[in-house]
Amino acid sequence: MAVGKEEAVEIVKPRTDKRDYRRIVLHNSLQALLISDPETDKCAACMEVGIGSFSDPEGLEGLAHFLEHMLFYASEKYPLEDSYSKYITEHGGSTNAFTASEHTNYYFDVNADCFEEALDRFAQFFIKPLMSPDATMREIKAVDSENQKNLLSDGWRMNQIVPGYVMWQDWVGSGAGLHAIMY
């Protein structure tokens, strides 16, 4: 894999897909798939991190999910809390994230003319995130609330069952376990 260069990789797509695709590898070894669609008025980006709930250390179950929540708050370059979400919403977009067993995915879409600033704001979460004590406590409570809701959901509990064994890992996290972050 060439670093900092475009690499010739065949991207398989349906014949009906008229979008242009290009894979690049940045100097920091980050791999990116660029997709161009002149038919749309929106731009989007996502970042997938190869860490999910299976990577949570014992005693800090839910840490990956908690960090998923925390990254959206603020960054050194954009320190105003929730300014990212506000910017995206004000410019016709949406944003979200999810934590799976082996990866966490962050994504957004926004009006095309606002993409460059939106991408910079998004990237700053991964470059220099800010995590204030107040935001940390609010998100511990939010994650715990989500966990409490999921405990009563048959659908959520079914997701923890894999044929042959039960996955006892607490994917969402609880306030009791995550409070260790603060102390």
Side-chain angles (χ1 to χ4, degrees), residues 89-128:
T89 302
E90 288 175 351
H91 294 93
S94 62
T95 182
N96 211 337
F98 63 89
T99 301
S101 56
E102 296 180 6
H103 65 271
T104 303
N105 188 288
Y106 305 83
Y107 57 95
F108 75 93
D109 67 77
V110 70
N111 292 336
D113 61 338
C114 303
F115 182 67
E116 192 170 326
E117 183 174 342
L119 186 60
D120 184 54
R121 289 172 178 268
F122 181 74
Q124 294 304 315
F125 294 134
F126 304 100
I127 296 169
K128 289 204 174 191

Side-chain angles (χ1 to χ4, degrees), residues 76-89:
E76 189 174 281
K77 186 172 179 180
Y78 301 100
L80 186 60
E81 200 170 283
D82 287 331
S83 65
Y84 165 72
S85 296
K86 185 177 178 186
Y87 181 86
I88 296 293
T89 302

Side-chain angles (χ1 to χ4, degrees), residues 10-28:
E10 181 184 1
I11 297 172
V12 180
K13 64 180 187 175
R15 287 187 307 268
T16 57
D17 186 348
K18 302 302 181 201
R19 295 174 288 194
D20 293 323
Y21 292 78
R22 197 170 87 209
R23 179 182 178 268
I24 62 170
V25 180
L26 304 178
H27 291 290
N28 64 1

Side-chain angles (χ1 to χ4, degrees), residues 121-180:
R121 289 172 178 268
F122 181 74
Q124 294 304 315
F125 294 134
F126 304 100
I127 296 169
K128 289 204 174 191
L130 293 181
M131 298 182 188
S132 73
D134 287 344
T136 300
M137 288 309 298
R138 281 195 308 274
E139 283 311 312
I140 287 173
K141 290 176 183 173
V143 166
D144 187 54
S145 176
E146 191 174 335
N147 183 56
Q148 294 301 317
K149 170 191 63 96
N150 290 340
L151 290 174
L152 303 174
S153 166
D154 289 341
W156 184 260
R157 293 193 334 242
M158 290 297 291
N159 283 335
Q160 294 182 311
I161 299 174
V162 173
Y165 70 99
V166 176
M167 298 187 322
W168 293 105
Q169 176 81 16
D170 179 1
W171 292 10
V172 175
S174 67
L178 291 174
H179 270 91

